[in-house]
Amino acid sequence: MKQLLLLFSFAATIAHAQIDVNTEASLRGISVYDQKIIWVSGSHGALAKTEDGGITWATVKIPGTDSLDFRDVEVLSPTEVVVMSAGLGNKSNVYRTIDAGVTWKSVFANNYPEGFFNGISFSDSKTGVLTGDPIANKLFVLKTKNGGASWKRVNPNKLPMMAENEAGGFAASGSHLYLGDNFFMNGTGGRMARILKANSSFSVWSAIYVPFIQGESSQGIFSLDFCDEKHGVAVGGDYTKENQGSDNVMITEDGGESWVPADNFPVYQSSVRFVSCDQVVSTGPGGTYVSNDGGYTWQKTTYEGYHTLDVALDGSIWAAGSGGRVMKIIL
C-alpha cells in the first residue's frame, strides 16, 4: 500500500510556539518517541509527523482513509508506527508502516458490527494490546507480540463480565489503558467506572471498582499511567462538562488494587502521563495541569487545554488537541 507524503514547513520563529498541523482535524492520538520524532493523529484521516523536534512537520496519508478517525498512534521505532482508527463496525482498523510512513499495511480490521476500538498500549517495541467496546458483555482485547504486524484476540472467556452500558473505554486520547512489563490495566466508564486488570499473559483477570464519577455515558476513566508497578494516576470526568471536575482524578500506590482521590481537581481531563514518579502532567480541553507530588495536588499551567499528551523516555513532552494544535510542554 503506497501513500502520499506532503512536506510542509511552519514559521516557528518563537521557541515552543503552538503549531497548527491541520486546522480541520481534532487530534486525539500522539506518540513522542524522543525529542525529535513525534507523530499525531486525528479526525478526517489526519496524520502528521516531525523528525526535527517540531521545526518542520509532514502530513502523512494512508490511501482510502480520509473518512476515518485516527484516535491513537504508537511510534515503536524511527521507522515502525502503528495507527488505530475508531468507530462502529468497519470504521475500526489498525494500520502499520515499517518505513516511517512511505507505505502502509492494514494489519487488523474489525468485523463486529457493534465493535468499536478505543486505544492501544505498548510495553516495548514488540508487545502491545488494543481494547475496544464490549462484545457479548466482554471487553474486546487484542494482543501483539511482533510490533503490531499481527494481532490475536484474547480469549473472552478469561475476562470478567461487564455491566450493561459500561463502556470498555473512551477513545479520547488513546490512553485509557496501560500495559506494563508484568500487568495490564484498562479503565472503563459509563454506567460503571472500573479497572479491569490482567497479568502479563492476559490469563488472569480481576475487576476493581474505582470511586470515579460514573453513571452517565459521558462519565468515567479517560486516561491512566504508571511510573512503576505500584504508583499510578487515573484521570477523567464528564466530557460534556469540560470545565467541571468532581471525583475525576485518582491515585493508587498498590498497583491499582485501591484508589484515592486527588485534592480538589477542578476540571475534566482526558490524558495523563508521568514525567517522573513525583511529577505528573495532565491535560483536557479545560486546561493543562502539573503535579509535583505524584498526583495528589495539582497546579494549572499557562498552557492551553488539549485532548492528548505524551512523554518520551528522554522527558520530552508534547500535547495535541482541537483545531490541529500541537504544543511542546516545558515544565
Side-chain angles (χ1 to χ4, degrees), residues 240-257:
T240 65
K241 300 175 181 178
E242 295 179 349
N243 293 307
Q244 297 180 30
S246 175
D247 295 328
N248 65 312
V249 177
M250 301 279 166
I251 302 98
T252 180
E253 294 186 353
D254 58 8
E257 297 298 320

Side-chain angles (χ1 to χ4, degrees), residues 67-255:
S67 65
L68 296 184
D69 196 347
F70 290 132
R71 291 293 178 113
D72 203 358
V73 57
E74 301 286 338
V75 181
L76 307 179
S77 78
T79 58
E80 298 171 283
V81 181
V82 175
V83 179
M84 183 208 79
S85 63
L88 279 175
N90 62 11
K91 293 181 179 180
S92 284
N93 299 275
V94 183
Y95 299 89
R96 182 174 183 259
T97 179
I98 58 173
D99 53 19
V102 177
T103 60
W104 292 87
K105 181 179 180 181
S106 173
V107 292
F108 196 91
N110 171 58
N111 58 7
Y112 291 96
E114 70 275 37
F116 193 113
F117 294 171
N118 290 316
I120 299 176
S121 179
F122 277 83
S123 59
D124 54 46
S125 63
K126 299 296 182 183
T127 309
V129 61
L130 176 153
T131 65
D133 282 350
I135 303 295
N137 297 319
K138 295 293 186 74
L139 183 71
F140 182 80
V141 184
L142 297 175
K143 63 180 180 179
T144 180
K145 295 182 178 181
N146 55 14
S150 63
W151 297 81
K152 181 180 179 181
R153 187 179 181 187
V154 172
N155 185 354
N157 294 329
K158 301 283 187 179
L159 277 73
M161 291 289 292
M162 296 186 68
E164 183 179 359
N165 296 323
E166 179 182 7
F170 292 97
S173 63
S175 60
H176 71 284
L177 68 172
Y178 175 85
L179 180 62
D181 292 334
N182 298 307
F183 67 93
F184 168 70
M185 291 193 190
N186 184 92
T188 73
R191 179 180 178 181
M192 186 178 296
R194 299 189 295 174
I195 293 290
L196 303 184
K197 183 178 180 180
N199 60 357
S200 59
S201 65
F202 302 99
S203 59
V204 179
W205 289 77
S206 62
I208 303 166
Y209 175 80
V210 183
F212 240 78
I213 182 173
Q214 56 194 278
E216 301 295 332
S217 61
S218 56
Q219 299 173 343
I221 300 167
F222 282 73
S223 180
L224 54 88
D225 195 27
F226 281 76
C227 73
D228 56 31
E229 293 194 1
K230 296 295 185 182
H231 299 87
V233 174
V235 306
D238 187 332
Y239 72 79
T240 65
K241 300 175 181 178
E242 295 179 349
N243 293 307
Q244 297 180 30
S246 175
D247 295 328
N248 65 312
V249 177
M250 301 279 166
I251 302 98
T252 180
E253 294 186 353
D254 58 8

